[in-house]
Amino acid sequence: MDNTGKEPVSGGPEGDSLRWARGWRRMVLAAGMLVYPCATAVGAAQYATGAGAVAGYVIVAVFCCCYVLAALSAAQRAWRRLGALLGIMTALFVAELPVAREYAFFLCAVVVSFAAAFLKRHAVLVVAAGALAALVVPWAVRPWHGGPGWFEAIAVVFTAMTVYGFSEIAVANRALLEARAEVARLASEAERARIARDLHDLLGHSLTVITVKSALARRLTASGSPRSLDEITEVETLSRQALTDVRAAVSGYRDVTLAGEIARGRELLRAAGVLADLPTATDMVAGAHQELFGWVVREGLTNVVRHAHAARCTVALSASHVEIRDDGVGGAGVTGNGLAGLRERVAAAGGTVAAGPLGPDGGWRLRVTLDSTDGTPA
């Protein structure tokens, strides 16, 4: 039995793992306790005849009805009704004592087990009282000519322990399902955040390049230069690549490399009219950090073209850091979505991000430093 009254999570493997505690399966398990009233009915047949036996059977039948109602009340979390029914069941147990004698304590086992499962604070006291009564009453009532009810006392204790354990397992399993649901929710939120971050970084860079090249193509067309066709062709190629990148980001496969971003950045800066001082080799950066440094270069160069109005941009690389400098007007120091997403990536890799103006004369610096690379301090 479960004292929470909640239905387990369904609709997936977690729900299937608790089918035994849902719907009719739970009721079948709860119906197993009706074996005890049947044992009491056997005692009534043994010790009583005629009207006395009939009275014993009627008490057992009413007890069974109350038990079913109590189980339903527990499932519906109707605690007041449950308490009233337990009181009635206790009175029926007492009424059955003169008829079934020590067999009536099987009814006591049901009442004690139910109470122990739903009155956890007083479970030990309730079980001890029920076991003591089962042990002493058959011996104390001399007309019964019986000794201590050892068997009945053991039945009370072990039945209560079994029901209590079942209740605790049901609660623990439900808590596990809730934890799994929370993990799944957090994983879903993390995936949404990843997609949003990747889309921002990918589209921000790609659309910036397309905008710059389109403006360049317009100027070249106005001047009658044949290069305008080449620039428009590159804009089409970039548009197709941006669409591919978006699909890759959504599906979780994104191919960002440091060498590729430096090559793209060189073309972006050229189209924007910015003198580029970029590294020609990237082999000093460990393979595990190539993608991260690629994202840094992409974000940094995109911001240079968008906001800096710079004439020169420099990218410096080492095994543990990447730094992007420009001689533009700097920025207001407000952290945008791109920089925020970059900080998340770097933090996940155990590094730090430093971004800010170079000085009062202008310029901006973006520096990402990893704590260590291949055991070498940064």
Side-chain angles (χ1 to χ4, degrees):
M1 280 175 266
D2 180 14
N3 65 336
T4 63
K6 298 179 181 178
E7 288 296 327
V9 178
S10 60
E14 294 86 354
D16 293 339
S17 67
L18 280 183
R19 284 182 176 178
W20 54 267
R22 185 173 69 243
W24 63 269
R25 296 175 180 86
R26 180 171 57 190
M27 297 306 298
V28 168
L29 288 170
M33 292 291 288
L34 295 177
V35 171
Y36 288 92
C38 293
T40 301
V42 172
Q46 178 178 339
Y47 290 116
T49 58
V54 172
Y57 298 148
V58 170
I59 292 173
V60 169
V62 175
F63 184 93
C64 291
C65 293
C66 290
Y67 172 76
V68 172
L69 293 175
L72 293 175
S73 299
Q76 297 168 2
R77 301 174 67 89
W79 306 124
R80 290 186 179 181
R81 188 171 63 196
L82 174 60
L85 288 168
L86 285 178
I88 295 173
M89 291 164 66
T90 302
L92 292 171
F93 151 65
V94 174
E96 186 71 14
L97 278 172
V99 181
R101 300 186 182 182
E102 69 273 11
Y103 284 88
F105 281 95
F106 288 111
L107 300 183
C108 178
V110 176
V111 175
V112 168
S113 300
F114 222 125
F118 292 95
L119 302 175
K120 297 184 183 298
R121 293 183 180 180
H122 309 289
V124 175
L125 180 61
V126 170
V127 174
L132 182 63
L135 189 65
V136 172
V137 171
W139 168 79
V141 181
R142 291 303 181 184
W144 291 5
H145 301 292
W150 293 105
F151 181 77
E152 289 75 14
I154 293 173
V156 169
V157 173
F158 280 93
T159 303
M161 290 175 60
T162 300
V163 173
Y164 185 88
F166 178 86
S167 174
E168 289 297 298
I169 289 173
V171 172
N173 284 340
R174 180 167 289 107
L176 176 61
L177 293 185
E178 292 175 354
R180 287 179 177 176
E182 180 66 12
V183 169
R185 184 186 67 81
L186 293 175
S188 177
E189 290 184 356
E191 180 64 8
R192 286 196 295 270
R194 180 196 68 79
I195 291 174
R197 182 184 62 203
D198 287 0
L199 287 178
H200 175 276
D201 294 344
L202 290 168
L203 291 180
H205 175 81
S206 299
L207 295 178
T208 298
V209 176
I210 291 172
T211 301
V212 170
K213 283 189 167 291
S214 298
L216 177 61
R218 177 176 53 78
R219 292 195 300 271
L220 292 174
T221 300
S223 63
S225 173
R227 285 182 52 203
S228 61
L229 181 59
D230 295 335
E231 296 296 336
I232 290 297
T233 301
E234 288 190 24
V235 168
E236 179 184 3
T237 301
L238 287 170
S239 300
R240 296 181 184 277
Q241 182 61 44
L243 180 59
T244 301
D245 288 343
V246 169
R247 289 172 176 170
V250 172
S251 61
Y253 299 97
R254 53 198 187 279
D255 185 17
V256 175
T257 64
L258 177 57
E261 294 307 318
I262 289 177
R264 294 189 188 96
R266 192 184 307 276
E267 180 63 21
L268 171 63
L269 294 175
R270 183 196 66 80
V274 178
L275 182 61
D277 182 7
L278 306 182
T280 57
T282 62
D283 53 355
M284 78 287 292
V285 179
H289 304 313
Q290 288 271 339
E291 180 181 344
L292 175 62
F293 280 12
W295 284 113
V296 176
V297 170
R298 169 176 288 214
E299 176 65 20
L301 296 185
T302 300
N303 286 339
V304 169
V305 174
R306 278 181 172 178
H307 310 299
H309 305 292
R312 183 182 184 89
C313 177
T314 301
V315 175
L317 278 178
S318 75
S320 60
H321 84 275
V322 56
E323 182 176 276
I324 301 170
R325 290 172 175 254
D326 67 71
D327 60 354
V329 298
V334 179
T335 301
N337 292 331
L339 189 56
L342 185 62
R343 290 185 189 278
E344 293 177 3
R345 295 182 193 276
V346 175
T352 57
V353 177
L358 289 174
D361 296 332
W364 188 269
R365 182 189 71 164
L366 171 64
R367 180 184 178 93
V368 168
T369 304
L370 299 180
D371 292 340
S372 63
T373 303
D374 296 334
T376 303

